[in-house]
Amino acid sequence: MKKILLTILSLCLSQVMWAQDYTKDVEKLLKKMTLEEKVGQMTQFTSSSDVTGPTLRGNVEKDVKAGHVGSLFNAVSADYTRKLQKMAVEETRLGIPLLFGYDVIHGFKTIFPIPLGEASSFDLEMMQDAARVAAEEASAAGIHWTFAPMVDVSRDPRWGRVMEGAGEDTYYNSEVAKARVKGFQGDDLAATNTVLACAKHFLAYGAPQGGRDYHTVDMSLQTLHDVYLPPFKACVDAGVETFMTSFNEINGTPSTANPYLFKDILRDQWDFEGVVVTDYTAINELIPHGIAGDLPTAGQLALNAGIDMDMEGDVFLSTLVQSVKDGKVSEKDIDNAVRRILLVKFKLGLFDDPYRYCDAEREKSVTLSQDFKNRARKAAQRSIVLLKNENQTLPLTLNNTKKIALIGPLAKSKKDVLGGWKAKGSPKQAKSLFEGMKAATKDKAELLYAKGCKMSGADTTGFAEALEVAQQSDVVVLAIGEPRTISGEAKSRSDINIPGVQTELLAHLKQAGKPIVVVLMNGRPLTLEREDELADALLETWHLGTMAGPAIADVIFGKYNPSGKLPMSFPRNVGQIPIFYNAKNTGRPFDPEKPSGYKSNYLDVPNTPLYAFGYGLSYTEFAYGDIKLSAETMQDQPITASIEVTNTGDYDGEEVVQLYIQDLIGKSTRPLKEMKGFEKIFLKKGETKTVTFTIAKEALTYHRWDMSEGVEAGDFNVYIGTSSDNVKQASFKLTKDFEVSKQYNPIKSK
Ligand code: BGC
């Protein structure tokens, strides 16, 4: 009873904190602070573990005691954060508590699928839940702030960080962004099981030249506004509390020094009131970028661009006091930055109890709980995409499959399934495919194993044993792909094939004449033409996290009918990159029916990707009816588009019904198709459901050459279907222009 009353009391208290206006508290504290203390609050340093870049400082504890730090990251565990917090609270003049950050990207200890994998689920509730679990675990280890979600639209699979986002589409990235922010932050920031989210990396970090990490972006303002900004706006709409700058430059200005991004757009247009932190040493990097000759100038540029906190660079701390004295920056700007930082600390309740997140008991009881593992398994099942299933090779039925050969360098891996950015996830806790299949086949079928080869190198000596094992079996399951270490930050590849001799192993195993199920594990779209030819069934499982093995086994044996769809196109070869579904038509569009002549295509490869955005099969079949529009014209009011979907196959299953729109004639050219909605539905065998989408004129607007925003009256195509390249079509007319803004020169800041 006492416990229940206490919980109710703490819930009420946290609601009070949430709703409270902290302006007076912030101003009172600010008045007491020296300039040095203010600059200290604007400084974030890394602790010594999990470092993601060059460390510049040796002794973090000394810095904390000296009041030089407002936030620390990579300091993890209830006990360690408590120790550091005690130093800040008890040994500095004002006792301002520290903010602890960490990259909790797809789980803290219970690891969920990599974000690109999760995005394949098209299940927003599930993604919100995954972020919720991550927040529950991380907050119990003293963490207040995750540097996630990454909402960079990513159209180049060579870039290693595609694994961290939701793929190539703007609308979809925006929806996923909202779900993840809500999952991390919950409804109540003051609750001890929620963390601050961070929308990163502002802006266009996902479009580096040649897919090389950190590289240059040179892009029209229209594309920035129509393609790259909306997911960040979605984060603001969802209440995200923090933003992170990106490493790259855009059109000649590195983001970390760009007031157009942080002042004009983020603060003035979007009214964002939270904290902006730089990426790791991004202020220092203004020097090699070539827009600052020394650190003081770099610090001034960043502050004047609207940055509040310097991650790891020690530039604000070492230069801003002098820059104020020299009249290069104003103390007012520093005050504003400090106000925002103090405000989030108040919102988190740290001034009431700085240790409220350092809860060793909760850390023990919630971490890796059975409930979290079950949720991770569910997420992993839903993230798997069935790319090919000839002759209904899958699911395997244990009635007539008695011997299964499990082959491949990833079959027993417990490390790689965790993927990049695995936080505190441990391979010891992870379940390999071998373990998953062993548990599923127990007493029912024999599971033979051979490694076959390594993930890299040219050694084929294991092929013979693997073939022998395949020959003895009814079916082969071959686990191949990328190790976890070749996707993620600074992990760009110029070739996105399956490395080493793994594909040769697949070709070799064909000699056994047994059906081959290829289980792919990887952190990015790969070029898979050969694998697609050789395999009977192909499952894209990404890096699925702690419960990878059981989840893949669930799909292989039909306990879960796969429902994932690709959030990024899979090119046929690297030369096709960038290839994404919402491209433009051009003046000489390629026509596969009349393939000759001066057309926009390659001579040596089709214009289509191998697997398109939104593609993914099921064990069952779905039939689509025709699209029914509520009206053939639209003026001011939205119209609806409905379609009947029937499960015509032999299994119950889920389908992601996708809505795309094409604006046929505009003042500026428009993409061939743009996603504007989707719904994931469950249909029992034989069942039919009607899915209805609402189309409003607001969803049709775009930026033109002169940066005005609107949409012109004219014809539109509506497409609804099972993937971006397999849709039904209808049309409507917009009868009146709709203008949002006539902002011809959007750049206000100097
Ligand atoms: C990455 C960020 C990350 C930061 C802190 C940087 O290198 O770009 O995404 O949040 O490190 O670990």
Side-chain angles (χ1 to χ4, degrees), residues 619-726:
Y619 293 154
T620 192
E621 302 270 329
F622 298 102
Y624 280 72
D626 290 326
I627 300 175
K628 288 197 188 100
L629 296 178
S630 61
E632 276 169 16
T633 58
M634 182 198 289
Q635 192 169 344
D636 289 316
Q637 293 309 313
I639 61 168
T640 60
S642 309
I643 199 157
E644 276 188 357
V645 186
T646 306
N647 181 345
T648 55
D650 294 331
Y651 300 83
D652 298 345
E654 285 153 296
E655 167 71 330
V656 180
V657 182
Q658 303 162 38
L659 168 78
Y660 300 90
I661 305 256
Q662 180 186 18
D663 180 351
L664 289 169
I665 312 278
K667 268 190 195 160
S668 292
T669 60
R670 308 291 301 121
L672 284 168
K673 268 187 201 119
E674 288 181 296
M675 181 174 252
K676 296 291 176 188
F678 65 90
E679 200 177 318
K680 188 161 188 164
I681 54 169
F682 174 78
L683 290 174
K684 284 199 154 307
K685 215 169 23 161
E687 194 185 358
T688 299
K689 273 188 186 159
T690 301
V691 176
T692 301
F693 296 103
T694 300
I695 307 168
K697 62 183 190 310
E698 287 77 10
L700 308 176
T701 68
Y702 67 97
H703 287 84
R704 303 145 177 144
W705 171 247
D706 60 8
M707 286 308 288
S708 63
E709 186 186 354
V711 57
E712 305 79 25
D715 293 322
F716 290 77
N717 283 336
V718 177
Y719 302 104
I720 302 179
T722 184
S723 73
S724 63
D725 64 350
N726 187 355

Side-chain angles (χ1 to χ4, degrees), residues 52 73 103 147 161 200-201 205 244 247 279-280 311 421 489:
T52 46
F73 66 118
D103 289 281
F147 305 131
R161 297 194 82 166
K200 74 185 190 186
H201 307 84
Y205 182 43
M244 186 185 289
F247 286 124
D279 203 343
Y280 199 108
M311 181 190 279
W421 290 112
E489 186 176 351

Side-chain angles (χ1 to χ4, degrees), residues 82 153 186 232 294 368 576:
R82 178 179 287 273
V153 170
F232 288 95
D294 51 34
L368 282 160
Q576 286 187 312

